Amino acid sequence: MRYSKQRELVLQKVEQLCDHPTAEEIYDEAIKECPGLSLGTVYRNLNSLVDAGRVRRVCIPGKADRFDHTLCWHSHMYCTVCGGVVDADVDEKQVMKLVKNQKGAVQDCAVVLFGVCEECLKKQAAQ
């Protein structure tokens, strides 16, 4: 992958925004440093970074893709109240056992939990 100032800026924003940002959220932050940047350029660079294994795509069915700088396998939880995405504590050994028992060749596995995040639960309890 050739060096690109814009790609490096996009990667930097994914790393700084630790909350699994969308392309639009990355764009909103990056445009402050690079006013000529387009949303299309952000998408192209994110796709290049994913393809190069420098960023991980987090797919939430029916929602915009999120991007994660943590590359090792881990799970996520989507909050149905605030729309946030946080890392989830899932037993990797159990998941790998399920994957191992499948017929065919599993190429990837993503676990996304849907529920209410800790912050939203606290807010609900306070009301």
Side-chain angles (χ1 to χ4, degrees), residues 28-87:
D28 289 344
E29 288 300 312
I31 194 82
K32 296 172 185 174
E33 292 179 40
C34 185
L37 187 68
S38 73
L39 183 56
T41 298
V42 171
Y43 273 106
R44 278 190 300 281
N45 282 299
L46 283 168
N47 288 329
S48 294
L49 289 165
V50 169
D51 291 345
R54 306 229 11 228
V55 169
R56 186 177 184 101
R57 184 184 316 272
V58 179
C59 298
I60 309 294
K63 305 293 179 189
D65 286 348
R66 304 296 189 104
F67 297 90
D68 194 348
H69 68 279
T70 304
L71 300 176
C72 63
W73 189 91
H74 63 285
S75 300
H76 297 93
M77 182 172 144
Y78 172 77
C79 180
T80 56
V81 175
C82 70
V85 175
V86 295
D87 291 345

Side-chain angles (χ1 to χ4, degrees), residues 1 5-22 25-27 29-30 33 42 46 49 53-56 66-71 87:
M1 174 186 291
K5 183 180 177 183
Q6 292 172 327
R7 186 175 301 120
E8 199 60 35
L9 178 61
V10 169
L11 176 60
Q12 184 182 67
K13 294 306 166 191
V14 172
E15 291 170 345
Q16 288 173 352
L17 300 167
C18 296
D19 58 349
H20 307 85
T22 64
E25 291 168 338
I26 295 164
Y27 170 76
E29 288 300 312
E33 292 179 40
V42 171
L46 283 168
L49 289 165
R54 306 229 11 228
V55 169
R56 186 177 184 101
R66 304 296 189 104
F67 297 90
D68 194 348
H69 68 279
T70 304
L71 300 176
D87 291 345

Side-chain angles (χ1 to χ4, degrees), residues 82-124:
C82 70
V85 175
V86 295
D87 291 345
D89 187 17
V90 172
D91 186 344
E92 183 179 353
K93 290 179 185 176
Q94 291 288 60
V95 173
M96 291 305 131
K97 185 177 176 183
L98 287 170
V99 168
K100 224 185 233 184
N101 292 332
Q102 299 304 308
K103 295 177 182 165
V106 176
Q107 295 176 327
D108 195 9
C109 173
V111 176
V112 178
L113 306 173
F114 292 80
V116 181
C117 72
E118 196 172 11
E119 289 301 312
C120 288
L121 281 177
K122 287 178 186 175
K123 289 176 186 174
Q124 289 176 351

